[in-house]
């Protein structure tokens, strides 16, 4: 009994330490966004002498709204395409991969993309995007959809094979439903937990991604995303920390809201989708 109690104490200490490691930087960022640069450099962990919105006003005067909207467009459209397109392929593969060898080969080739580091393909990818004239928001959206295929397909196929029985297809076929009607009215709604998981994973990735926008969008400042704006903003005002911290807060809020809305579904979706 005593050893179990000691084990619980150690567990709680580790959990509390982990919570502090996550919350302290977030709290410091939020507080610093309401401080002047002088206060940040003079007393980094202290509260502001006078809470001010001047940093946020400066951000909006410097055009952060445009970059926020660029990131919002990129995230919403990319995630919508991922959730609309990839489940259809996953459904076909999950249902036919054991009966037709071509589907199993296709599935294997597609998920092999998970093992290819992005650094290996980033320069050829950037050259290809430039050659096709796709160094814009639409081109980057298609790129996100393409790069999301391996992991997302793996999750959806595992989820369908585990959670969605083939008997539902047979019952719908007996009732006269076609393949697309069956998928749209029965299969797609049944994948809501996985949709939530995929939405959170990919929204976090697209919203916070820096490297792909840097390679594809950096030539035209009007198409910058939030991370790209923050990177270049720090370069212009490297000693002015107040607006930089304010830009981090503006970037955190939308994705934090999305996570809080859908976080109930992410655990069930991940565990179900990772098991065949």
């Amino acid at each position: 009994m005593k050893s179990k109690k000691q084990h619980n104490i150690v567990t709680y200490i580790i959990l509390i330490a982990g919570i502090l490691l996550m919350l302290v930087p977030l709290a410091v960022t939020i507080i610093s966004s309401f401080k002047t640069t002088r206060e940040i450099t003079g007393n980094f962990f202290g509260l502001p002498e006078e809470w001010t919105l001047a940093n946020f006003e400066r951000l909006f005067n410097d055009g952060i709204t445009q970059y926020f909207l660029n990131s919002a467009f990129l995230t919403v459209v990319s995630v919508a395409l991922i959730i609309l397109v990839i489940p259809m392929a996953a459904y076909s593969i999950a249902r036919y991969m054991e009966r037709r060898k071509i589907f199993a080969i296709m599935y294997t080739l597609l998920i092999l993309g998970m093992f290819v580091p992005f650094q290996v393909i980033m320069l050829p990818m950037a050259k290809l995007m430039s050659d096709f004239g796709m160094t814009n928001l639409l081109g980057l959206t298609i790129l996100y959809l393409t790069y999301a295929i391996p992991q997302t397909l793996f999750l959806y196929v595992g989820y369908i094979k585990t959670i969605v029985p083939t008997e539902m297809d047979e019952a719908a076929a007996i009732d006269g439903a076609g393949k697309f009607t069956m998928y749209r009215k029965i299969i797609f709604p049944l994948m809501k937990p996985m949709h939530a998981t995929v939405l959170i994973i990919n929204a976090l990735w697209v919203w916070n991604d820096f490297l792909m926008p840097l390679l594809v969008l950096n030539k035209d400042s009007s198409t910058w995303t939030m991370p790209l704006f923050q990177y270049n903003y720090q370069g212009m005002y490297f000693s002015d920390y107040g607006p930089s911290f304010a830009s981090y807060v503006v970037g955190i809020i939308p994705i934090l809201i999305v996570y809080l809305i859908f976080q109930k579904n992410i655990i069930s979706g991940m565990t179900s989708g990772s098991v065949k």
Side-chain angles (χ1 to χ4, degrees):
M1 181 67 70
K2 187 176 180 181
S3 63
K4 184 177 180 181
K5 187 176 180 181
Q6 290 174 341
H7 179 267
N8 289 338
I9 291 172
V10 173
T11 302
Y12 283 121
I13 290 173
I14 294 172
L15 290 174
I16 291 170
I19 291 171
L20 290 175
L21 284 172
M22 290 185 291
L23 292 183
V24 169
L26 179 62
V28 170
T29 300
I30 294 173
I31 292 171
S32 297
S33 68
F34 295 98
K35 296 162 66 174
T36 63
T37 298
R38 180 184 60 81
E39 290 176 321
I40 294 172
T41 54
N43 185 9
F44 185 66
F45 292 100
L47 292 173
E49 297 172 7
E50 183 179 350
W51 297 78
T52 177
L53 294 173
N55 294 325
F56 294 95
E57 292 175 1
R58 180 170 171 181
L59 277 179
F60 285 101
N61 290 334
D62 289 340
I64 195 176
T65 304
Q66 176 65 46
Y67 310 117
F68 184 93
L69 292 175
N70 289 343
S71 280
F73 169 83
L74 199 61
T75 303
V76 170
V77 175
S78 298
V79 172
L81 287 174
I82 288 167
I83 292 177
L84 286 174
V85 174
I86 298 179
M88 289 191 285
Y91 173 64
S92 299
I93 289 172
R95 287 295 187 253
Y96 293 104
M97 65 185 299
E98 294 178 0
R99 288 182 280 172
R100 299 181 185 177
K101 194 174 181 180
I102 184 65
F103 284 89
I105 295 172
M106 189 186 308
Y107 176 64
T108 302
L109 291 174
L110 287 172
I111 65 170
L112 281 175
M114 288 192 294
F115 306 103
V116 179
F118 178 72
Q119 290 78 6
V120 174
I121 64 170
M122 64 180 187
L123 292 181
M125 177 209 73
K127 180 67 167 61
L128 191 65
M129 296 291 285
S130 178
D131 290 344
F132 279 96
M134 298 177 67
T135 52
N136 49 47
L137 290 172
L138 182 59
L140 189 55
T141 300
I142 296 171
L143 193 61
Y144 278 127
L145 170 63
T146 304
Y147 206 72
I149 289 173
Q151 183 189 40
T152 309
L153 185 71
F154 174 76
L155 291 173
Y156 272 117
V157 169
Y159 188 87
I160 293 169
K161 288 172 69 66
T162 306
I163 303 299
V164 186
T166 55
E167 287 78 8
M168 287 191 174
D169 296 25
E170 296 167 0
I174 291 172
D175 290 338
K179 288 288 183 183
F180 183 72
T181 302
M182 183 193 310
Y183 170 80
R184 181 170 58 87
K185 292 188 175 181
I186 300 173
I187 306 301
F188 189 81
L190 285 174
M191 294 191 285
K192 282 183 180 178
M194 183 52 65
H195 295 327
T197 302
V198 169
L199 186 150
I200 292 173
I201 292 172
N202 287 285
L204 283 168
W205 165 48
V206 175
W207 182 268
N208 294 318
D209 186 41
F210 169 72
L211 195 52
M212 280 209 277
L214 179 66
L215 293 170
V216 176
L217 303 176
N218 204 32
K219 291 181 179 179
D220 185 1
S221 61
S222 66
T223 62
W224 284 355
T225 59
M226 282 293 294
L228 206 53
F229 164 72
Q230 290 163 348
Y231 168 74
N232 288 287
Y233 198 70
Q234 285 178 315
M236 290 186 288
Y237 307 107
F238 65 94
S239 61
D240 204 351
Y241 300 113
S244 295
F245 278 105
S247 71
Y248 303 150
V249 173
V250 173
I252 289 170
I253 291 173
I255 207 65
L256 187 61
I257 293 171
V258 171
Y259 180 79
L260 291 175
I261 292 172
F262 293 99
Q263 56 92 19
K264 290 182 180 179
N265 302 100
I266 191 168
I267 301 297
S268 61
M270 283 294 290
T271 54
S272 300
S274 299
V275 179
K276 290 186 177 181

